[in-house]
Structures are given as C-alpha cells and as structure tokens.
Amino acid sequence: MSTATVSDRVFNFSAGPATLPLKVLQEAQQHLLCLPGVGASILEISHRSPPFEAIIGTAEQDMRTLLGIPDDYAVLFLQGGATTQFSMIPMNFLSASTSADYLLQGAWSKKAIGEAKKCGPVKVVWDGSAEKFSRVPRAGEFQPSEGAAYLHMTSNETIEGIEFHYDPDCGSVPLICDASSDFMHRPIDIKKYALIYAGAQKNVGPAGATVVIIRKDLLDRQVGTQLPTMLDYKKMVAGASMHNTPPVFTIYILHLVMKWLLNDVGGLDKMLQLNQQKANQLYDYMDASGGYYKPHAQTDSRSLMNITWRMGNEDLEKKFVKEAQAAKLDGLKGHRDVGGLRASLYNAFPLEGVAALIDFMKEFQQKNG
Ligand SMILES: *Cc1c(COP(=O)(O)O)cnc(C)c1O
C-alpha cells in the first residue's frame, strides 16, 4: 500500500469541498478504526447509540456557544445540500397568495430565486446584475416589502467573491440567509435572522450535511400542507435531525471542527481577525500590482472567503493556473461561469498558504509582466 504524508499536502484553494484543519484530519484518522471507549468506528455505529448522541449533541452545543445561538432557535443537520434549502424554504413558507423578497446578488442567489418561483410569487428587491455582481447591497439600499413571507439573502456569493460585512435589518419580515460559503467565519448578530442555512463542505466540514438554524416561531408560518416529511421543518425540528439516519460521518467531522474553532482558534472574534489578515494580505498585494492582478469585487464588498480576480487575458490566466498548480498551489481556477482566478481562503486555510501565493504572484509578474 502506498502512503502519503502531511508533506504531500498542497495549499488547497478549492471553493468546496475545501481544506479542513490538519488537526481535525489527524484526529479523525487516529480514531477511524475505533472511537475511544466505543470499540467500533464512527462509520459503523448506530445513530441512536449513546456515543453518536454525544457527538451530535456536542456539535450543536459548541455551535451554540460559538455563535451565541439563543434557546428559541433550533439547530438542524439536514441532507440534500444547500440546494435543497432553495426549495425547502419556499415549500414551507411561500404560497400563491403571498410573495417572497429575494436579493439577486450573483450565481447562487439566482439559483435560489429559480427554485422559489416554482412555489409562488417572487419579488427581486435588489439586483446587482448591472454592476456584474461586483458588490452586495449597502445598508439601506433595499427595503423588504410589506407583508413579504420572508427576505432571502446570500451572505457570501462564492462564485463572484462578494460578501456582506454587516447583518441587515429587515424589521418584522423574516430574514433568511444562505451562509454556505462564509458560515462561522465571523461572529454574527443571530437575532437579525429567522433562518440561516449552510452546506457544511465550505467552512465547517465535509459534504453531506446542511446546517439549518431556525427561529422556532417561524414554524408557525408554515404554509405548505402535505409537505414530504423530509422537507418539513416542523418534523425535522420535532425529530431533532434524527427522523431518519443523519449524515453521521459529516456530523462527526463537523463536531471536531467546532472543537478546533473553540479550543485552537479561540472563538469567532479570533477567527475573523485571522480571516481578515489572510484576505487583506492578498487584496493589498493585488492593489499594489499596478493593475496586473485586478480584483473583481468592489472594495466594500470584497469577500474574505473567495478572492476573485482577473489578469490581462485568458491565456495569461491559464498559464498562471498551470504554473501555480506545479508549485503546489492548487484549485485557483475561477468558476467556469465567470472565468478568471479564485483563491478560497476559508477558516481552515493557513496563513502560510497566502504568503506562498503572493510569492508566486510576484515571481509570475516579474517573468510575464
Ligand atoms: C456551494 C453553495 C451552494 C450549494 O451547496 P450544495 O451543498 O452543493 O447544494 C449554495 N449556496 C452557496 C452560497 C454556495 O456557496
């Protein structure tokens, strides 16, 4: 059997599934044959067994501590990815006689809108397409419609690389947020939100689970009757994510990531500081490159998670990706829909990787500039 070691690992700029904390991988590796005191691996035990109940319970409790989630919110671990939430939200809360507000901010919010339209009327209350999705709305630039079933936003558009750096205020209209690609990268004012959802595979674990944080009074606004059980928030809350077999391995890794955030990083204030440090080094370097590297996002909307940029022409961009890959800087090609380059610097991405990328960029510009 050939083996690989830590030194074989590249700097992984993938947008998702994405890099995980080394410590988490090492612990999972160490305990994969046998969970301490259990006599079997996490992959082999019942989801109704006490060891797994302790794992899912700790995952939820640590997430509550880190984000300051109050008791009137439920935390769920669902399946079907964030994409299933695009449908589940309108199926539960939007009917033909109401209307839901959406912010059109980029590729993912566009998909969410497409799914919602199948369930009922949708009103786009802010549209960033004229500015090529280079920024998110500023505070006060959009108003929720009176009586709207909810307003849907995307805290970070993963493909364009634009991000909200504030928690919008929607008054009495429930605010729903797709936080898939920046979940837990900073502290948030959770009370501003009625529902937050995030696929685990960008910032908090491997693929397979979607975290949903839902204010319980929202359940009283359910409009769908005859909802499929697996798409019914009320039933998922009542069953505490265990109506059926939950994605046990993903939840196990997520619980290790929560521990890492709490004990190794030291909480979300610290996480934000580190994320700002990483992203700002890269943006500052590009701003000083005389236009050789041109960030896509407008300054006030620059994402700390997905840094996107263009270069002089597509051939140069291709050459950049190819040579970077050879230098163990992996996954820098931009999304096929928008082109260019993208460096995803999620929570677990190390600072040394940013320094390595900047060194590479300097050298590339000297040779090809
Ligand atoms: C990746 C992503 C999704 C889709 O997630 P899946 O889990 O693959 O369904 C949705 N929204 C955003 C913002 C994303 O980054």
Side-chain angles (χ1 to χ4, degrees), residues 41-307:
S41 108
I42 181 67
L43 299 171
E44 304 164 301
I45 57 172
S46 165
H47 58 293
R48 312 245 177 235
S49 63
F52 184 71
E53 281 185 349
I55 286 167
I56 193 170
T58 309
E60 175 175 341
Q61 195 46 57
D62 288 350
M63 188 182 290
R64 283 185 183 276
T65 303
L66 283 157
L67 278 169
I69 303 173
D71 289 343
D72 58 330
Y73 288 75
V75 176
L76 300 172
F77 301 101
L78 305 182
Q79 299 192 57
T83 302
T84 297
Q85 295 303 305
F86 293 168
S87 306
M88 191 163 164
I89 290 159
M91 285 170 84
N92 279 260
F93 304 118
L94 178 60
S95 67
S97 59
T98 56
S99 170
D101 289 344
Y102 275 76
L103 306 182
L104 176 54
Q105 312 162 219
W108 287 113
S109 49
K110 197 170 178 182
K111 288 196 170 131
I113 290 168
E115 293 302 308
K117 280 182 174 164
K118 296 175 187 173
C119 299
V122 165
K123 192 172 161 199
V124 172
V125 293
W126 190 85
D127 180 347
S129 58
E131 289 175 75
K132 298 205 170 91
F133 300 126
S134 59
R135 68 175 179 95
V136 300
R138 298 179 181 120
E141 265 188 347
F142 64 90
Q143 286 302 325
S145 314
E146 209 181 308
Y150 58 83
L151 184 141
H152 182 282
M153 63 176 275
T154 306
S155 50
N156 183 64
E157 281 282 4
T158 324
I159 291 175
E160 291 81 1
I162 55 173
E163 185 176 32
F164 273 87
H165 298 295
Y166 65 98
D167 302 306
D169 200 332
C170 282
S172 61
V173 171
L175 176 60
I176 293 185
C177 178
D178 176 0
S180 291
S181 51
D182 69 350
F183 186 54
M184 302 189 84
H185 89 293
R186 68 167 168 100
I188 56 168
D189 182 0
I190 202 113
K191 291 205 177 75
K192 294 257 174 74
Y193 302 89
L195 190 157
I196 298 171
Y197 64 98
Q201 71 273 21
K202 271 105 186 199
N203 228 359
V204 289
T210 310
V211 178
V212 174
I213 301 170
I214 182 169
R215 206 176 60 217
K216 289 175 194 161
D217 68 356
L218 198 61
L219 300 172
D220 301 331
R221 297 193 183 221
Q222 253 182 347
V223 292
T225 53
Q226 304 298 321
L227 284 166
T229 302
M230 292 306 294
L231 301 177
D232 183 334
Y233 288 112
K234 220 177 226 170
K235 299 222 169 87
M236 292 301 107
V237 170
S241 309
M242 296 267 230
H243 177 80
N244 73 330
T245 317
V248 289
F249 188 68
T250 301
I251 292 168
Y252 166 72
I253 300 288
L254 184 146
H255 117 281
L256 295 178
V257 172
M258 294 301 115
K259 279 196 193 309
W260 171 79
L261 278 171
L262 266 177
N263 304 330
D264 295 85
V265 177
L268 297 189
D269 284 313
K270 291 270 173 56
M271 193 69 256
L272 176 61
Q273 273 174 22
L274 187 59
N275 283 327
Q276 283 170 333
Q277 195 186 352
K278 289 185 289 181
N280 289 342
Q281 281 184 8
L282 188 49
Y283 284 122
D284 288 348
Y285 172 70
M286 289 200 277
D287 286 341
S289 72
Y292 193 77
Y293 301 105
K294 291 184 287 292
H296 168 73
Q298 296 185 36
T299 316
D300 61 354
S301 292
R302 287 175 170 182
S303 172
L304 302 183
M305 301 282 100
N306 310 102
I307 285 90

Side-chain angles (χ1 to χ4, degrees), residues 159 308-310 317 333-342:
I159 291 175
T308 51
W309 73 93
R310 300 303 305 240
E317 290 172 347
K333 190 172 183 297
H335 189 278
R336 59 191 179 279
D337 289 350
V338 296
L341 292 301
R342 172 173 57 176

